[in-house]
């Protein structure tokens, strides 16, 4: 059965438990798909031997009859998650040769549940990017192509390798991280499901930091049900992460009933922006009608500070990054610059960082250092924090009126061509986050669901934004939307 890699996570779980397939067979199918996927550049490191070893152990647990849901499931792991004994580089030259001696909490939970690692996945350097073009490994490529064109498309970023791998069936699911939309935007670009949980739902320990108050790990899967299964495995309090919430982890899959009768879905008027393509507007309207037909009440709502979200985000995220990335100095691990005669420690620091960080990371670090500097802290950073509070209050007021979730576009367009944004105003790249950054600033859960195709045959997604800690309710609404949309399209294989 060479097409086992095409299974959803839920289907594979059931087949494994029913002894219809073995974990070793499933891992072999994903290993083979990954080995034949070089043109996609989704994997930066393949671990076929480790996958088969983990799968053999999973088969023993499955035979015993008490295996967890994720036991035997082949996954791709974003290169931002530290994996003990396996290279982790955050797609950056400055971490060349870094092999962690510890496991991130997310991956530790997965291995404890019997999951299988097919390999590490490509990404934007230190998760800074929306196209996967800032990677030291070079860009991952979207499995989808426009009609009548062979031009390579971006899979989105920063979790572009994760999105491409899941969309192309190179693994059954993948880990992603979302700081301003880095799970949801690539999911929308590749026709898969991407879930950004409530901030604090999942431990950040052992995940290479970008912006600590915004970063959140989450699942990237083929279906909403798969996302629910995956989320339950990696959620939970972690004493090693002070921002990890000590809340019980419910059975998210059990919350998926498909019944949303009486639910109130808000449509934020501020997300109707000038220049939004007609196809996105039409998809949004169609999704609204799908939820209405399913019994939900549709109401217009206002989030008045939305227009300040992007500027606030691009002050706060670089500021936190400049602090977090100060630890990369070439002293203890990673790349170290060669010094010339007479140069000392200060020259080593500056030369190492100049050589080790790519242009986008250097740009954001300089912005971050600037907004935190004396004389500008109040004008930029403190003001951005106040705006963040106002954005959070906007959502609180809307949810206080009885609204259960918000429906918005996931992205302002379908996937764009690799290199296209580099030719345009660089601000255009940042505008890809226009519908997603508010969620990170407010710490809310949100999910991107594939809902249709544009005129060029490329996938488009809609975003649902939920209440804090109500991922179960959010997943149920997403499942209803997924079922109504009936999106089953796959990229035609060319790689």
């Amino acid at each position: 059965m060479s097409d086992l890699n095409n299974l959803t996570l839920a289907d594979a779980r059931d087949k494994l438990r029913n002894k219809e397939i073995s974990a070793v067979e499933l891992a072999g199918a994903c290993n083979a798909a990954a080995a034949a996927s070089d043109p996609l550049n989704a994997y930066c490191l393949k671990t076929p031997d480790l996958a088969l070893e983990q799968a053999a152990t999973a088969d023993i647990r499955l035979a015993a009859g008490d295996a967890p849901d994720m036991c035997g499931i082949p996954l791709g792991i974003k290169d931002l998650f530290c994996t003990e004994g396996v290279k982790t580089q955050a797609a950056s030259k400055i971490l060349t040769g870094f092999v962690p001696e510890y496991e991130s909490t997310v991956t530790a939970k997965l291995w404890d549940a019997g999951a299988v690692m097919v390999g590490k996945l490509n990404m934007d350097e230190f998760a800074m990017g929306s196209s996967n073009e800032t990677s030291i490994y070079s860009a991952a490529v979207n499995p989808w192509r426009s009609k009548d064109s062979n031009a390579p498309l971006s899979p989105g970023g920063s979790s572009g390798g994760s999105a491409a791998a899941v969309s192309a069936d190179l693994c059954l699911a993948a880990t992603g991280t979302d700081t301003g939309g880095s799970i949801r935007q690539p999911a929308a670009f590749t026709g898969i499901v991407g879930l950004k949980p409530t901030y604090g739902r999942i431990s950040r320990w052992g995940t290479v930091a970008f912006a600590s108050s915004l970063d959140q790990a989450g699942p990237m899967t083929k279906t909403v049900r798969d996302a629910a299964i995956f989320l339950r495995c990696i959620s939970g309090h972690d004493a090693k992460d002070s921002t990890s919430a000590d809340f019980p982890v419910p059975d998210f899959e059990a919350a998926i009933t498909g019944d949303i009768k009486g639910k109130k879905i808000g449509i934020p008027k501020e997300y109707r922006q000038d220049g939004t393509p007609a196809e996105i507007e039409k998809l949004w309207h169609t999704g609204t009608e799908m939820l209405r037909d399913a019994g939900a009440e549709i109401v217009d709502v206002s989030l008045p500070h939305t227009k300040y979200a992007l500027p606030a985000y691009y002050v706060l995220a670089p500021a936190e990054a400049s602090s977090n990335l100060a630890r990369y100095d070439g002293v203890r691990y990673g790349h170290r610059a060669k010094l010339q005669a007479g140069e000392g420690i200060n020259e080593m620091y500056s030369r190492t960082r100049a050589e080790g960080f790519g242009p986008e990371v250097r740009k954001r670090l300089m912005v971050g250092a600037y907004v935190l500097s004396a004389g500008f802290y109040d004008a930029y950073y403190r003001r951005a924090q106040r705006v963040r509070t106002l954005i959070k209050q906007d959502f609180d007021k809307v949810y206080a009126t009885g609204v259960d979730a918000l429906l918005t576009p996931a992205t302002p367009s379908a996937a764009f061509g690799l290199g296209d944004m580099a030719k345009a105003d660089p601000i255009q790249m940042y505008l890809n986050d226009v519908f997603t950054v508010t969620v990170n600033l407010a710490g809310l859960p949100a999910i991107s669901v594939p809902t249709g195709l544009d005129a060029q045959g490329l996938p488009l997604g809609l975003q649902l934004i939920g209440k804090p800690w109500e991922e179960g309710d959010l997943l149920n609404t997403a499942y209803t939307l997924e079922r109504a949309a009936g999106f089953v399209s796959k990229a035609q294989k060319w790689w």
Side-chain angles (χ1 to χ4, degrees), residues 400-468:
T401 66
V403 169
D404 295 288
L406 305 177
L407 180 70
T408 78
T411 59
S413 70
F416 48 82
L418 286 173
D420 285 359
M421 289 294 180
K423 303 171 189 173
D425 180 349
I427 298 299
Q428 290 300 117
M429 182 72 82
Y430 299 156
L431 290 175
N432 267 279
D433 302 330
V434 67
F435 296 128
T436 54
V437 295
T438 53
V439 171
N440 299 81
L441 291 169
L444 299 172
I447 188 169
S448 175
V449 180
T451 324
L453 300 173
D454 74 354
Q456 294 301 311
L458 298 176
L460 297 170
L462 288 176
Q463 174 181 231
L464 283 160
I465 305 171
K467 296 178 180 179

Side-chain angles (χ1 to χ4, degrees), residues 17-271:
R17 286 180 170 177
N18 294 333
K19 310 295 190 294
E20 296 175 43
I21 61 174
S22 72
V24 169
E25 289 173 328
L26 187 57
C30 288
N31 278 344
S37 70
D38 286 353
L40 292 174
N41 201 31
Y43 282 99
C44 54
L45 176 68
K46 296 162 191 162
T47 55
D49 294 339
L50 176 60
L52 292 175
E53 178 184 326
Q54 290 175 322
T57 302
D59 275 330
I60 295 172
R61 294 181 70 176
L62 288 159
D66 60 348
D69 286 341
M70 295 294 290
C71 190
I73 301 298
L75 305 174
I77 304 299
K78 186 176 179 179
D79 194 35
L80 210 62
F81 294 87
C82 288
T83 42
E84 184 178 2
V86 179
K87 186 179 74 168
T88 300
Q89 202 168 326
S92 179
K93 180 180 178 181
I94 207 161
L95 277 173
T96 298
F98 176 57
V99 179
E101 297 181 2
Y102 54 91
E103 196 77 48
S104 75
T105 297
V106 166
T107 50
K109 283 177 175 286
L110 290 169
W111 311 150
D112 287 347
V116 172
M117 182 166 72
V118 181
K120 303 297 286 288
L121 293 164
N122 200 349
M123 55 177 281
D124 280 297
E125 184 182 6
F126 281 102
M128 298 183 196
S130 301
S131 65
N132 214 134
E133 292 175 283
T134 68
S135 171
I136 190 67
Y137 311 120
S138 74
V141 182
N142 197 322
W144 292 77
R145 291 275 170 92
S146 298
K147 289 180 180 176
D148 306 318
S149 173
N150 290 323
L153 300 176
S154 168
S158 64
S159 307
S162 299
V166 175
S167 179
D169 296 315
L170 310 183
C171 53
L172 270 57
T175 60
T177 61
D178 194 309
T179 306
S182 288
I183 285 175
R184 291 160 287 153
Q185 183 247 27
F189 276 8
T190 56
I192 66 169
V193 172
L195 173 63
K196 183 259 173 207
T198 308
Y199 182 80
R201 173 66 82 182
I202 297 170
S203 172
R204 295 182 297 107
W205 194 87
T207 307
V208 179
F210 165 11
S212 299
S213 75
L214 300 164
D215 298 343
Q216 188 60 197
M220 303 184 73
T221 59
K222 300 177 185 181
T223 69
V224 171
R225 184 175 298 279
D226 288 0
I229 297 168
F230 199 141
L231 178 63
R232 186 184 185 190
C233 177
I234 60 177
S235 295
H237 177 62
D238 179 12
K240 292 181 286 189
D241 176 6
S242 62
T243 64
S244 169
D246 191 5
F247 285 175
V249 178
D251 185 344
F252 298 113
E253 186 182 11
I256 297 177
T257 64
D259 182 5
I260 62 167
K261 291 182 177 66
K263 294 291 184 182
K264 188 180 288 188
I265 307 298
I267 308 298
K269 66 180 183 180
E270 288 79 11
Y271 282 58

Side-chain angles (χ1 to χ4, degrees), residues 337-416:
K338 294 181 179 178
L339 300 183
Q340 299 175 5
E343 291 186 327
I345 190 72
N346 290 331
E347 288 82 8
M348 190 199 76
Y349 287 159
S350 59
R351 194 188 296 276
T352 293
R353 291 165 66 80
E355 293 176 3
F357 292 134
E360 182 63 27
V361 173
R362 293 200 300 269
K363 183 198 307 180
R364 297 196 193 198
L365 294 184
M366 287 189 287
V367 169
Y370 177 80
V371 301
L372 290 175
S373 60
F376 298 102
Y377 184 91
D378 287 336
Y380 294 104
Y381 184 74
R382 193 184 298 277
R383 183 174 296 180
Q385 289 284 33
R386 290 176 182 147
V387 169
R388 180 179 191 171
T389 299
L390 294 172
I391 290 169
K392 176 67 165 63
Q393 290 174 351
D394 285 348
F395 283 103
D396 291 343
K397 290 174 183 176
V398 166
Y399 289 133
T401 66
V403 169
D404 295 288
L406 305 177
L407 180 70
T408 78
T411 59
S413 70
F416 48 82

